[in-house]
Amino acid sequence: MADDARETLLEEKEENNCPGCKIDRVKQEQRGIPYIHLSFIWLVSLCTALPISSLFPYLYFMIEDFHVAKKEEHIGFYAGFVASSFMIGRALTSILWGKLADRYGRKPIILMGTFSVIIFNTLFGLSTSFWFAISVRFLLGCVNCLLGVIRAYASEVVSEEYHALSLSVVSTSRGIGLIVGPAIGGYLAQPAEKYPNLFSQDSVFGRFPYFLPSLVISLYATGALIACWWLPLQETLHTRCRTAHGRLNPNEPEYSPNELNDGGSTSRGLDHQKIQSKPSLLRNRPLMAIIIVYCVFSLQEIAYSEIFSLWAVSDISYGGLSFSSQDVGEVLAISGLGLLLFQLLVYPLMEKTLGLLVVIRLSAVMLIPLLSCYPSIASLSGLTLRLVIICASILKNALSISLVTGLFILLNKAVPQSQRGAANGISMTAMSSFKSFGPAGGGVL
């Protein structure tokens, strides 16, 4: 009896000092929508998305200024390699960062990834040669480990009731970043030419015409880093309790394979878990199926992001729209606002009414005819062209975000917390590998 009491007291002491247990108690006492946690998720997710997409509106002109392409038609070829270098770097290191997050916690990895954006994104804006630009983007991809870790964090920091909401915040802020990023690049690139009354050709922004958009994003990342460091960004990993030491099994997924196929969910307490060794993630069939679908969609998404900007700024004689980088920024900014309204007002109702898997399948099917219609849009002109391209962009982004949100939810439910960082790392590695082919392949085509 004395030994049992001593063990109980020891376990209570461990749980009081365990950050994972603390956040579990906070979730049990949680009433209403956890706005503070969601705000952190939004800040970090947006921080990782902005550097990816902000270069697309001005990448064409940046490659042209590097004088590396002998013909104008070859600019897209070189632009694809600059865009792909980020994804190649991320593909090489995502599993490592995921395992580190499972071992040392989510918070230090999130802080490190945010800091990397500040350094390498700023350096990219100061690029004066093709190879320097590729090298900096590659290093940014290697050290930027935010997306996979923040997805794991988002599924752990809120109660199960708000899992869909927290992961939709990840996908929404990421989607907004993929739209606002090009808007920032489109409006702020080459400021000495666009705003000569504010920026002279002799200023740093005249000598480095693509530094201003990178600087703005780096300043945002600095604010996000300060917020995450000084404000209570809570650790969610169990590190000092019996779950962490393996006395109870933390490795049982929240979804069984059958439940994943049925689109259902379940909640299990630690009291019902049994001791067992960690299962291999590569043998987790639901997880592998989700990752494959996510990879295929990611290839399409990144290829679209790069091809759309290059297509929009290309001359009409090449089948483009002859837009300026500012015109591209306007289209993407308006479609970003539409995406935000869709995610807040329409998506929750769709998910409740139709179910998660139905929404994913409908989104995937509807994207095919929508993207097939884009070449015919080039035959339009004037106000009609702008209205049609804005509506098509809004619909495309809404379908994409619906699909991605559903896949995020299924992925994090397919594995336990102790393997969630590694699982997201695997998905990021596979996705980044596919995305590295998207810009390069799209640029070549």
Side-chain angles (χ1 to χ4, degrees):
M1 293 294 292
D3 292 339
D4 292 341
R6 189 180 300 110
E7 184 175 354
T8 301
L9 289 173
L10 180 59
E11 288 172 356
E12 290 178 356
K13 183 177 180 180
E14 289 176 337
E15 291 177 359
N16 287 334
N17 294 325
C18 176
C21 293
K22 289 180 180 178
I23 199 66
D24 285 345
R25 288 193 293 271
V26 170
K27 288 190 290 186
Q28 291 175 358
E29 299 169 358
Q30 198 173 76
R31 297 294 182 271
I33 298 175
Y35 290 106
I36 295 178
H37 297 315
L38 295 180
S39 64
F40 283 121
I41 295 169
W42 175 277
L43 284 173
V44 176
S45 299
L46 187 60
C47 185
T48 189
L50 289 175
I52 298 176
S53 59
S54 61
L55 79 163
F56 288 141
Y58 62 79
L59 184 57
Y60 182 93
F61 306 103
M62 181 184 243
I63 298 298
E64 189 176 39
D65 290 346
F66 289 158
H67 303 292
V68 67
K70 295 181 180 179
K71 296 182 180 180
E72 184 179 355
E73 306 93 89
H74 298 164
I75 291 178
F77 174 81
Y78 290 98
F81 285 104
V82 174
S84 295
S85 59
F86 175 90
M87 295 300 169
I88 293 173
R90 194 163 71 174
L92 295 175
T93 60
S94 289
I95 294 179
L96 171 63
W97 290 119
K99 290 185 176 180
L100 290 175
D102 283 339
R103 181 166 185 176
Y104 298 106
R106 319 301 189 207
K107 183 174 180 177
I109 306 302
I110 289 174
L111 294 175
M112 184 180 299
T114 308
F115 181 73
S116 72
V117 173
I118 300 172
I119 301 300
F120 294 108
N121 191 66
T122 302
L123 291 175
F124 180 75
L126 298 173
S127 300
T128 56
S129 69
F130 175 71
W131 290 109
F132 183 83
I134 280 186
S135 300
V136 171
R137 289 286 292 182
F138 174 77
L139 292 174
L140 176 60
C142 288
V143 188
N144 188 300
C145 48
L146 289 172
L147 184 56
V149 179
I150 199 63
R151 286 189 340 213
Y153 179 82
S155 66
E156 296 165 356
V157 76
V158 298
S159 59
E160 187 174 358
E161 178 185 359
Y162 297 109
H163 276 184
L165 178 61
S166 63
L167 287 167
S168 70
V169 167
V170 175
S171 56
T172 302
S173 59
R174 176 174 166 272
I176 293 293
L178 293 176
I179 295 167
V180 175
I184 293 174
Y187 281 112
L188 301 183
Q190 301 171 315
E193 296 180 12
K194 295 176 182 175
Y195 317 108
N197 295 330
L198 297 176
F199 304 96
S200 69
Q201 291 288 349
D202 297 329
S203 67
V204 64
F205 300 110
R207 288 183 285 117
F208 301 99
Y210 311 104
F211 178 53
L212 184 57
S214 298
L215 179 63
V216 169
I217 293 172
S218 296
L219 290 175
Y220 171 81
T222 302
L225 179 65
I226 294 172
C228 293
W229 181 273
W230 292 106
L231 297 179
L233 176 67
Q234 295 174 301
E235 179 57 64
T236 59
L237 188 67
H238 290 273
T239 56
R240 297 188 183 93
C241 65
R242 54 182 181 165
T243 300
H245 297 311
R247 275 174 266 174
L248 285 177
N249 170 36
N251 302 308
E252 191 174 2
E254 296 180 48
Y255 275 166
S256 69
N258 291 332
E259 288 167 338
L260 274 177
N261 292 331
D262 295 337
S265 64
T266 184
S267 176
R268 299 187 179 91
L270 289 175
D271 294 336
H272 300 290
Q273 296 176 349
K274 299 178 181 179
I275 298 174
Q276 65 180 40
S277 59
K278 288 186 178 181
S280 171
L281 290 176
L282 298 179
R283 296 180 181 178
N284 187 327
R285 295 179 62 185
L287 175 65
M288 292 296 106
I290 294 165
I291 290 176
I292 291 172
V293 175
Y294 183 44
C295 287
V296 173
F297 174 73
S298 296
L299 175 64
Q300 172 270 321
E301 184 183 36
I302 195 66
Y304 170 86
S305 297
E306 197 219 1
I307 291 173
F308 176 81
S309 296
L310 292 175
W311 171 63
V313 300
S314 296
D315 191 82
I316 294 177
S317 60
Y318 296 116
L321 304 180
S322 292
F323 277 13
S324 66
S325 60
Q326 186 171 346
D327 293 330
V328 177
E330 289 177 0
V331 172
L332 295 174
I334 294 172
S335 58
L337 177 61
L339 175 62
L340 180 61
L341 295 175
F342 170 82
Q343 192 70 18
L344 293 176
L345 303 177
V346 180
Y347 179 78
L349 182 62
M350 285 178 53
E351 197 271 337
K352 287 184 179 180
T353 304
L354 302 177
L356 190 60
L357 288 180
V358 174
V359 171
I360 292 174
R361 290 164 181 165
L362 282 177
S363 300
V365 170
M366 292 177 64
L367 276 170
I368 298 173
L370 175 64
L371 294 175
S372 301
C373 293
Y374 268 73
S376 60
I377 295 177
S379 61
L380 304 175
S381 62
L383 181 61
T384 303
L385 170 62
R386 289 183 177 273
L387 290 176
V388 171
I389 198 66
I390 288 173
C391 292
S393 296
I394 292 174
L395 181 56
K396 190 270 175 190
N397 292 324
L399 294 174
S400 297
I401 215 68
S402 299
L403 197 154
V404 169
T405 300
L407 292 176
F408 282 177
I409 295 172
L410 294 181
L411 187 146
N412 281 286
K413 290 292 186 180
V415 293
Q417 187 198 44
S418 62
Q419 293 182 301
R420 201 163 283 154
N424 278 281
I426 292 174
S427 73
M428 291 299 298
T429 294
M431 176 268 289
S432 298
S433 300
F434 272 68
K435 278 192 171 185
S436 67
F437 291 105
V444 171
L445 294 176

